[in-house]
Amino acid sequence: MRLDKKTTIQLGVFAGIAVVSIGVAVVSYMQIPTVFLGVGRYTVTVQLPQAANLYEGGNVTYHGVEVGRVQAIKLTDTGAAAVLQLKSGIDIPAGDLTAEVHSVSAVGEQYVELTPHSPKGPSLKNGDLIPADHTSVPPNINSLLAAANSGLNAIPRDNLKTVVDESYLAVGGLGPDLSRLVNGTTALAIGAHKNLDSLVSLIDGSKPILDSQVQSSDSVQQWAAHLATITKQLQVNDSSVRGILQNGAPALDQARQLVDRVQPTLPILLANLASLGQVAVTYRDNLEAVLVLVPQAVQDLQGIFLPYSGTKLGGFSLAADLNTNLPPPCNTGFYPMSQHRSTALVDSPERPPGLVYCRIPQDSQLNGVRGARNYPCETRPGKRAPTVKMCESNEPYVPLNDGFNWKGDANATFTGQGVPQYEPGEKPPPSAQPEQALPGQPKSAYPPPGQPPPLPVGPPTAVTPYDPATGTYIGPDGQMSTQSNLANGAGKERTWQQMLTPPTGN
């Protein structure tokens, strides 16, 4: 059969279109430009500890969407390397990116899942490398099945049947309860997933606490032992503890009523007690001394009644020895006799400035052991001084002399001090300033010999003329008085009775 020219042309055009369509379909289906030429694709290498049954042509997914294929699997010195061929135009963040090998089913079909943990950072590009510490592979299914088989073989069949039967009896009819348990567990898991960061921080932060518990295990064991002892005591004294619990409420109610009654005055009392406590703390040493000495003093006081105890006589035994001038009086640090006031004066002038007290060495056993110079300083333990200011100051105590000046000037000094003594920082009045000592001589509170004594402090000493013939004189009160032993003849011998008889006078 002979075809006309038109039909031939039509058949030729149709054959050309068919060949082109089949070629395009074949090229598109086999992805020849992509596979052989790499058009629209870029490659990324993933380092794996093992191949994990991953094969060439396996899928590569990103958020569950296919983004490429596994181009090749290569062996390396540390495991295997998978070359991934990814589609261009899909930006995959490279920051903190992990590549995980998963199985589509239990029998294989491995694929690679790309999971970025941070949307920030640059995107993957051609030639990038994902290191092995950012990859994971599934466990070997053969090893898992072998371990499961070994575990099942280790279970005796008879016992397994017993376990299944008992489990049926245990959970039989508990479908609704198990359903609620599963639902609650699911809700708990969902809540834990929402608060994953907090849970991770809690788990990380629990390690120091657990370590401290391990380090203090001995203390915890001792605490548990002591708690067991206390619990045992509570068990032994159960009736007493029960009585406390039963009577505790009424007692607390009475205590509350008492507090309500004293509420107006209780704050004032507590404030005063706080001040008293501060004083007690300051004078603690003195209080301790009192608590030590008072029982001894009471014992000595009771001892005077001891000789007559148990007798019908009664009474007490007390000896009084008059040790006159034993020890002798301390005159060092006091005004001399020329400055003493008359004992006949009855007025009360203001106290002159300065301090007068026994100013011999503090460790002197001569006299005045308990004098003002040995007052203990409350705020400066170990220091002794006559006043608080001297206690607080850093000036040392300097005695006037050694205290053995039994004749002459009792205030003789080679330290340049005067009488009276003034507080640290206190200036003496101009009339009490000591005179300038001559070169080579020490300062003294008194003028050199041959000069009149300083003006007396206070009123002058009372002086009045008397008649030696009759012994009469005018007293400070202006009345005429008679002192018979001052008259002539007073030196003649008298009896001891006359010596004990008071002198007569008006």
Side-chain angles (χ1 to χ4, degrees):
M1 183 179 71
R2 184 177 180 180
L3 300 177
D4 56 7
K5 186 177 180 179
K6 180 179 179 181
T7 303
T8 302
I9 294 173
Q10 290 178 348
L11 290 175
V13 172
F14 176 76
I17 294 174
V19 171
V20 172
S21 299
I22 293 172
V24 170
V26 171
V27 170
S28 176
Y29 175 76
M30 297 182 64
Q31 298 182 354
I32 293 176
T34 300
V35 175
F36 295 99
L37 301 179
V39 177
R41 299 296 178 104
Y42 63 95
T43 59
V44 174
T45 303
V46 178
Q47 293 181 345
L48 299 172
Q50 59 182 358
N53 297 326
L54 189 65
Y55 57 91
E56 296 182 3
N59 292 333
V60 179
T61 63
Y62 169 57
H63 289 319
V65 179
E66 181 183 347
V67 295
R69 295 277 181 173
V70 178
Q71 186 179 14
I73 300 294
K74 301 177 182 179
L75 291 176
T76 62
D77 296 337
T78 58
V83 180
L84 308 183
Q85 193 175 56
L86 305 179
K87 297 178 182 180
S88 301
I90 300 177
D91 296 332
I92 301 176
D96 198 11
L97 178 67
T98 59
E100 302 173 356
V101 179
H102 297 284
S103 297
V104 176
S105 63
V107 296
E109 300 182 13
Q110 312 294 85
Y111 70 97
V112 179
E113 171 69 22
L114 299 178
T115 305
H117 296 279
S118 175
K120 300 179 180 179
S123 300
L124 284 178
K125 60 183 181 298
N126 187 40
D128 283 351
L129 175 66
I130 300 177
D133 56 352
H134 282 67
T135 62
S136 64
V137 296
N140 191 343
I141 190 64
N142 296 327
S143 302
L144 180 60
L145 293 176
N149 186 38
S150 300
L152 293 175
N153 291 331
I155 301 175
R157 297 182 182 275
D158 296 338
N159 294 342
L160 180 60
K161 182 177 182 304
T162 302
V163 171
V164 173
D165 294 340
E166 294 297 331
S167 300
Y168 170 76
L169 295 177
V171 300
L174 298 178
D177 296 332
L178 293 176
S179 178
R180 287 195 297 269
L181 177 61
V182 172
N183 294 335
T185 305
T186 303
L188 180 62
I190 294 174
H193 180 72
K194 292 181 180 178
N195 300 277
L196 182 61
D197 296 338
S198 302
L199 292 176
V200 172
S201 301
L202 177 61
I203 294 173
D204 294 340
S206 63
K207 185 179 183 304
I209 299 177
L210 297 178
D211 292 341
S212 65
Q213 296 298 316
V214 173
Q215 295 172 1
S216 59
S217 58
D218 296 338
S219 301
V220 173
Q221 291 178 358
Q222 294 178 1
W223 176 81
H226 296 164
L227 182 61
T229 303
I230 295 174
T231 305
K232 184 64 177 179
Q233 293 295 328
L234 292 177
Q235 182 181 2
V236 173
N237 301 280
D238 179 69
S239 58
S240 302
V241 175
R242 187 175 301 175
I244 293 175
L245 295 178
Q246 292 175 353
N247 301 326
L252 291 177
D253 185 64
Q254 294 180 2
R256 181 185 60 78
Q257 295 177 4
L258 176 62
V259 173
D260 293 339
R261 287 197 300 269
V262 301
Q263 185 175 6
T265 58
L266 184 60
I268 300 176
L269 175 62
L270 295 178
N272 295 336
L273 289 178
S275 302
L276 182 61
Q278 295 176 356
V279 175
V281 170
T282 303
Y283 291 90
R284 181 186 62 183
D285 298 336
N286 305 73
L287 295 176
E288 291 180 357
V290 169
L291 294 177
V292 172
L293 297 177
V294 166
Q296 183 65 33
V298 173
Q299 178 182 353
D300 296 340
L301 182 62
Q302 293 176 345
I304 66 178
F305 299 96
L306 183 63
Y308 296 95
S309 63
T311 64
K312 297 181 179 180
L313 298 177
F316 58 91
S317 176
L318 181 63
D321 296 333
L322 300 179
N323 297 323
T324 306
N325 286 344
L326 187 64
C330 177
N331 296 325
T332 301
F334 298 92
Y335 291 107
M337 292 299 298
S338 61
Q339 296 183 5
H340 286 191
R341 285 168 46 85
S342 172
T343 57
L345 299 178
V346 296
D347 60 340
S348 56
E350 294 184 359
R351 183 180 181 278
L355 304 173
V356 287
Y357 61 96
C358 182
R359 292 166 61 184
I360 61 178
Q362 290 180 324
D363 57 352
S364 174
Q365 302 296 323
L366 180 63
N367 51 25
V369 176
R370 297 182 179 88
R373 73 183 189 280
N374 283 329
Y375 287 166
C377 297
E378 300 299 335
T379 57
R380 302 284 291 274
K383 186 178 181 179
R384 294 171 293 167
T387 62
V388 176
K389 289 184 178 180
M390 290 187 179
C391 284
E392 299 296 339
S393 68
N394 295 325
E395 298 182 6
Y397 172 79
V398 180
L400 278 178
N401 51 53
D402 57 4
F404 290 95
N405 293 289
W406 58 274
K407 64 180 180 179
D409 187 4
N411 292 328
T413 175
F414 295 97
T415 60
Q417 301 183 89
V419 177
Q421 185 183 23
Y422 295 93
E423 299 273 11
E426 181 181 0
K427 295 182 179 181
S431 60
Q433 294 284 356
E435 296 185 8
Q436 182 67 29
L438 297 176
Q441 295 183 354
K443 291 184 178 180
S444 175
Y446 305 98
Q451 295 186 9
L455 294 177
V457 178
T461 304
V463 179
T464 181
Y466 68 96
D467 187 356
T470 61
T472 58
Y473 65 93
I474 299 177
D477 55 357
Q479 300 294 328
M480 181 68 71
S481 301
T482 301
Q483 190 76 22
S484 59
N485 57 0
L486 296 179
N488 290 335
K492 63 184 179 180
E493 184 177 358
R494 293 182 296 171
T495 64
W496 67 271
Q497 293 89 349
Q498 293 174 341
M499 295 181 182
L500 295 178
T501 303
T504 59
N506 297 329

